[in-house]
Amino acid sequence: MRPAGRFVGEVLTDLASRVKVGTNLLEIDRWAHEHIRRRGAESCYIDYHPSFGASPFGYVICTSVNDAVLHGLPHDYALRDGDLLSLDFAVSVDGWVADSAISMVVGEKKDEGDLELIALTEEALARGIDAARPGKRLGDISAAIGAVAHAAGLRVNTQFGGHGVGRTMHGDPHVPNDGRGGRGLKLRPGLVIAIEPWFMAGTDELRTDPDGWTLRSVDGSRGAHSEHTVAITDGDPIVLTARG
């Protein structure tokens, strides 16, 4: 799974470096699609149609802006100075999948609250990864993530979270972003999971856009999202989607 993870990390690094004020979300999708074609990879999103989606996704990357936090459907929108943008990207390379997400503030108008929210998801991701060790339990990862959110006064939605990754993008086990340590599946070497804390500044409740995909905070507060695909080993966890 290393080649898939390396590719996903490289693509997100490139996209983040190219995004600026005026960049259209459809342009970001086109850039991601070009990377996929050049690599001979396969998108995990374009034909993806789970029970919670209104139709096949139709694009190769999720672009969530401001109060949108998950599953943002690319559309004709030019990014503005100060927008909080999350990119979530998953592909299959030679039959193996990797999945990762990154959040950033576009332009020069950087709200301190947005930067803090992004930093909290990144800290929670690091804590979750550190807990992904053999002999621990799935709940230890969830508890580590949730502790970061609760210490900052945030509420946590556990409807969507991390998940198993392998030949397909979404598999067992579900990895909630909050939980109790010492509970759940025992972690063993060879298990590969996506760990993905996402937080909203003012609520833990979501609403779905008319597009049938984009998930937004019910109160209009902003959201941030960080994710890596992580392999559990006999020693330290391996972050397969590490970005240079």
Side-chain angles (χ1 to χ4, degrees), residues 133-146:
R133 298 178 182 275
K136 286 186 171 288
R137 300 276 179 174
L138 200 65
D140 294 314
I141 297 174
S142 299
I145 294 170

Side-chain angles (χ1 to χ4, degrees), residues 4-5 10 39 73 107 224:
E10 289 171 352
R39 181 62 174 81
L73 197 70

Side-chain angles (χ1 to χ4, degrees), residues 137-220:
R137 300 276 179 174
L138 200 65
D140 294 314
I141 297 174
S142 299
I145 294 170
V148 173
H150 296 309
L154 300 177
R155 290 178 286 176
V156 181
N157 179 298
T158 56
Q159 181 182 1
F160 296 96
H163 48 87
V165 182
R167 291 290 192 178
T168 60
M169 175 174 58
H170 287 150
D172 291 331
H174 173 58
V175 187
N177 286 324
D178 199 9
R180 296 178 63 181
R183 300 291 184 90
L185 179 74
K186 189 174 183 179
L187 304 179
R188 293 181 172 85
L191 177 66
V192 179
I193 53 177
I195 300 175
E196 54 175 315
W198 58 275
F199 303 145
M200 297 177 287
T203 184
D204 60 354
E205 296 183 30
L206 295 165
R207 66 176 179 86
T208 305
D209 263 7
D211 65 22
W213 275 101
T214 304
L215 296 177
R216 298 183 183 274
S217 63
V218 295
D219 63 355

Side-chain angles (χ1 to χ4, degrees), residues 12-108:
L12 284 176
T13 298
D14 177 67
L15 297 181
S17 72
R18 296 167 73 178
V19 166
K20 61 183 185 299
V21 175
T23 299
N24 196 291
L25 300 183
L26 294 175
E27 191 174 17
I28 297 173
D29 182 74
R30 178 172 59 79
W31 293 340
H33 214 150
E34 289 169 354
H35 275 289
I36 290 170
R37 283 195 295 266
R38 283 197 297 267
R39 181 62 174 81
E42 182 178 347
S43 171
C44 293
Y45 290 161
I46 198 161
D47 295 322
Y48 186 53
H49 190 187
S51 58
F52 57 81
S55 60
F57 191 75
Y59 296 90
V60 300
I61 192 167
C62 296
T63 55
S64 303
V65 181
N66 295 334
D67 62 328
V69 66
L70 294 176
H71 308 161
L73 197 70
H75 59 282
D76 185 12
Y77 174 80
L79 290 165
R80 300 170 184 171
D81 196 13
D83 277 346
L84 197 169
L85 171 68
S86 298
L87 301 176
D88 191 353
F89 185 59
V91 298
S92 173
V93 174
D94 299 326
W96 294 99
V97 172
D99 188 4
S100 187
I102 186 172
S103 292
M104 70 205 77
V105 178
V106 178
E108 301 300 324

